[in-house]
Amino acid sequence: MEDVDVEAGYLRTQGIIKRNRANHFKVNVMRYAAMLSLPLLLSSFILGYLYWSQPMDEVVQYAEVTTPSGTVIRYELPDGSVVWLNAGTRLRYPVKFYADKREVELNGEAYFDVQANAESPFYVHTKSGMSVYVYGTRFNVNAYSDETSIETTLEEGKVNVIVPDLKGQVKLEPGERFSYDKATHQLQKSQVDVDEKTAWKDGKLIFRNAALPDVLKRLSRHFNVDIELQNKSGKEYRYRATFKDETLLQILDYLSKTAEMKWEQVQSVQKKDETFTKNKIIVTI
């Protein structure tokens, strides 16, 4: 019989058993790790898919332009369209227009020269709910909050007017004006002298058969002064005139040539908050 080293054989056997146990442990650990990581991997994949496939809601930022009383400003919008803002007007618009539409909010009077884009209509929204939309044209919108009606006058191109109380739209051709009475909800479309409605952007005042109260209201806004009319005679006067560089007193003097008119200037006074009231003129006929 050959000599057998029992102790050495025992040690080799114990080493083999330990290595097998270690390998078995590693296999189990990897198996459990794979089982635990599979749901995490799947959830990460699903969340990633939802994140990249769904458009993120972009926060819309707005800009606002306000015209002081007695001034007219020219302003360029993000799409290259140009707008003139009459005195006491506020225009609100997004700093970036989207591809499908361009929208602005108007309180006051503005003349728009809109860049043509057949795939992106241009909307002008007013506080009363009436909206005007075009694809590229020149038009005027008068939507002061203290006025009884809203007017849209088209100079060039085509205009579509959306009225809250009307199912459908009103389409205008060049030279037409659309008026919406905010109190009675009456609608009116008529031919007008476009220059009379839009000359204000060039610093001119044009009146064509305009009633005296309307004349004084436009003068009040143009010269930033309160004008109060006291009609004690009950008579009605209408005027046809064009003014460019005349002062307010010169215009009143012209108006008085066809009417028994007197006026009195009331100087501004300081109020309790240390601000001053506007200059005031009282016109009596």
Side-chain angles (χ1 to χ4, degrees), residues 158-225:
K158 292 184 179 180
V159 160
N160 303 276
V161 183
I162 304 173
V163 182
D165 306 315
L166 182 66
K167 294 182 179 179
Q169 306 170 7
V170 178
K171 296 184 179 181
L172 299 183
E173 298 294 334
E176 289 184 335
R177 179 203 66 168
F178 178 79
S179 177
Y180 171 68
D181 192 297
K182 294 184 287 187
T184 64
H185 306 290
Q186 291 183 345
L187 314 175
Q188 184 181 20
K189 185 169 73 170
S190 59
Q191 290 284 338
V192 294
D193 185 333
V194 176
D195 289 339
E196 179 185 7
K197 301 297 181 179
T198 63
W200 59 265
K201 69 181 180 64
D202 300 317
K204 294 190 294 184
L205 292 171
I206 298 179
F207 302 103
R208 297 290 182 264
N209 195 32
L212 180 59
D214 295 334
V215 172
L216 296 180
K217 183 178 292 185
R218 290 178 60 184
L219 292 176
S220 173
R221 185 170 291 124
H222 184 80
F223 290 99
N224 190 26
V225 59

Side-chain angles (χ1 to χ4, degrees), residues 229-235 260 282-285:
L229 175 62
Q230 297 180 355
N231 190 349
K232 298 180 179 181
S233 65
K235 297 180 180 180
E260 297 179 0
I282 301 176
V283 176
T284 306
I285 59 174

